[in-house]
Amino acid sequence: MSEWTGVLRLDVEDKQGRTVAKNVYFQGALKVMRPIYHDDSGQVCYYILNPGGGYLDGDRYHINILLEEQARLTLTTQSATKVYKTPNNYAYQETEIHLKKGSYLEYIPDPLIAYEHAKYKQKNIIRMEKGSTFLYSDIMTPGWSPHGGKFSYEMVQLLNEIYMDDELVVYDHIKLQPASQKMNSLGFMEGYSHLGSMIVIGEQTNNDLIDRLYDLISTDDNKYEIGISRLRVPGFAVRMLSNSTQEIERVFNTIHHTVSTDWFNIKPSSLRKY
């Protein structure tokens, strides 16, 4: 066994309009379920499994995903990523994604839940060829604490690097350390407990889409705060603060549905596991 607690490699390719596995390899505490086809579009869906049930002290995970030209993949997880107490060393997950021309990846993991005294680092490296499309979301949720505090974890660090034809075009870095930061202040969580992020990159992005999304997700109530921004490449990023995982999921599902139907004329299937 290598230094990794779990390793997963998944390569997919297009075969006459249907995306199939070219290579599947896993070792340790990572696995994938059999492929699922939700409709007749040819797009395949894989669920990542963690038989261990959660991330523990010093755990290290590595995921490598490759989409050949015209391949279409939905990638999600079987359940939330639960990070428990890490008294000595932080838990770490690194994901490398390669998207070739004409491919489309929806990477929609379940929420990350950081429990009391948890330390967690996550790094996603996405390498895209021009003409590929990428949709990604993540939700950070504080775990239960015996003291009832919202921010009992020690550190959560989330890093996304996106390259287009080997040029760095998106660098997104979030680092939360409740012990040394005023979590409820402006610029941090601003009175909310849950954080959602979404990144969508596709050549079909235009101002009309951004305007329609803004109208769909804007709100006058106090359930959440949200912002949407264009990227330097065709695409956009969304950041959302809320006190509810379900509220973030609802808004992100609205965005996902709009993008999928506009760009590919496909209605996304439900990925919920309960």
Side-chain angles (χ1 to χ4, degrees):
M1 182 67 184
S2 68
E3 74 274 17
W4 299 103
T5 308
V7 174
L8 169 64
R9 169 146 195 149
L10 174 63
D11 303 344
V12 296
E13 61 181 348
D14 176 75
K15 288 288 188 182
Q16 298 180 341
R18 183 179 173 92
T19 299
V20 298
K22 181 179 180 181
N23 175 50
V24 181
Y25 171 82
F26 49 82
Q27 182 182 26
L30 282 179
K31 295 183 179 181
V32 288
M33 291 176 61
R34 291 182 177 182
I36 298 172
Y37 294 89
H38 292 293
D39 51 42
D40 59 1
S41 68
Q43 184 165 321
V44 69
C45 177
Y46 276 94
Y47 286 82
I48 300 174
L49 313 179
N50 183 339
Y55 288 19
L56 304 174
D57 191 68
D59 280 357
R60 294 169 55 81
Y61 296 86
H62 190 270
I63 300 172
N64 195 303
I65 308 296
L66 169 65
L67 276 69
E68 298 285 0
E69 290 189 7
Q70 306 304 320
R72 297 160 59 89
L73 170 65
T74 299
L75 188 65
T76 186
T77 51
Q78 183 190 33
S79 61
T81 299
K82 300 176 181 177
V83 185
Y84 297 105
K85 182 188 297 184
T86 55
N88 298 308
N89 296 309
Y90 58 84
Y92 177 72
Q93 177 171 296
E94 182 175 304
T95 302
E96 296 184 65
I97 296 171
H98 301 259
L99 303 178
K100 294 194 176 181
K101 183 179 179 180
S103 64
Y104 174 41
L105 173 63
E106 300 173 338
Y107 184 23
I108 309 173
D110 277 319
L112 164 69
I113 304 177
Y115 287 89
E116 187 174 39
H117 302 309
K119 297 186 292 291
Y120 177 72
K121 291 186 179 183
Q122 175 179 288
K123 184 176 184 180
N124 296 325
I125 304 168
I126 300 94
R127 301 187 183 277
M128 306 177 62
E129 291 184 2
K130 192 173 182 180
S132 60
T133 305
F134 180 58
L135 184 150
Y136 168 73
S137 67
D138 64 51
I139 301 174
M140 216 298 277
T141 304
W144 177 85
S145 165
H147 308 295
K150 290 183 178 180
F151 306 108
S152 59
Y153 54 87
E154 292 191 17
M155 184 270 292
V156 171
Q157 185 174 7
L158 308 174
L159 176 62
N160 295 305
E161 295 180 6
I162 303 178
Y163 296 83
M164 181 69 72
D165 290 339
D166 296 324
E167 179 186 0
L168 181 64
V169 293
V170 176
Y171 184 84
D172 183 42
H173 185 197
I174 296 173
K175 188 173 184 179
L176 301 177
Q177 294 177 290
S180 58
Q181 296 169 340
K182 296 180 180 179
M183 299 298 289
N184 288 320
S185 65
L186 187 66
F188 287 98
M189 298 301 291
E190 303 184 14
Y192 296 96
S193 57
H194 295 51
L195 171 65
S197 300
M198 177 176 264
I199 298 174
V200 180
I201 296 178
E203 293 185 345
Q204 305 92 321
T205 305
N206 55 40
N207 289 333
D208 177 67
L209 173 66
I210 301 299
D211 291 341
R212 285 191 293 118
L213 288 176
Y214 182 81
D215 290 338
L216 287 170
I217 65 179
S218 60
T219 179
D220 294 327
D221 57 36
N222 296 319
K223 290 184 178 180
Y224 59 85
E225 297 288 343
I226 193 166
I228 182 168
S229 303
R230 289 287 296 266
L231 301 174
R232 58 169 295 195
V233 292
F236 60 91
V238 180
R239 195 85 80 201
M240 180 172 175
L241 298 173
S242 178
N243 289 315
S244 166
T245 298
Q246 290 73 27
E247 192 69 24
I248 299 177
E249 288 178 335
R250 182 188 65 79
V251 173
F252 283 4
N253 285 340
T254 298
I255 298 172
H256 181 197
H257 184 278
T258 303
V259 169
S260 186
T261 53
D262 275 24
W263 293 0
F264 302 104
N265 197 29
I266 297 174
K267 181 180 178 180
S269 298
S270 174
L271 300 177
R272 297 186 72 86
K273 297 87 184 175
Y274 49 89

